[in-house]
Structures are given as C-alpha cells and as structure tokens.
Amino acid sequence: GEILGFYGLVGAGRSEVMQAISGITRTSSGTITLEGKAIAPKSAADSIDAGIVYVPEERGKQGVVIGLPIFQN
C-alpha cells in the first residue's frame, strides 16, 4: 500500500530502472527483492500480480490504451 516516487536527472536511467522493476524491460544483471523475496518479472502482468505498477512520465503516450474506456485504463 505504498507509493514510491523515483527521481533523478534526465538521462540518469531512472525510467529504465523503473521499467525493469515493473517488467516492461529485461534486467541485464542484479536482482529485485520485494518483502524479502526475490522476484523476476517477465512482463508487466507479473509485476502487477506482485503489487508493482509503473506510471510513466509520458502518461498520454505510454500510460493509456486508446481503445479502452477510462475505467479499464
């Protein structure tokens, strides 16, 4: 039930880290630990099942599915 804000300079890799944690992109190394358990999300659905949701900077381009109604987005 927590919200984590992750910030840094443009080009520092903050979006890439968050995308890896949320299963959007693959990690090249390292582990992700959530509540003492290692997780390895292979997709965004895996992360959602683990309780992790990614809200991108470009919500209008990356954060919506245009064909779906508001309540599903």
Side-chain angles (χ1 to χ4, degrees):
E2 295 182 30
I3 297 173
L4 169 67
F6 196 79
Y7 66 93
L9 297 173
V10 173
R14 67 180 188 270
S15 296
E16 291 80 3
V17 169
M18 292 295 108
Q19 289 170 359
I21 290 171
S22 62
I24 295 170
T25 59
R26 304 280 177 176
T27 58
S28 57
S29 64
T31 58
I32 301 168
T33 305
L34 179 65
E35 296 181 349
K37 293 178 145 181
I39 62 167
K42 302 276 190 269
S43 67
D46 287 348
S47 289
I48 290 169
D49 290 342
I52 299 170
V53 180
Y54 174 66
V55 179
E57 293 177 72
E58 296 288 332
R59 288 177 289 289
K61 294 178 182 177
Q62 301 172 331
V64 298
V65 179
I66 299 299
L68 294 178
I70 292 172
F71 76 92
Q72 287 181 309
N73 272 290

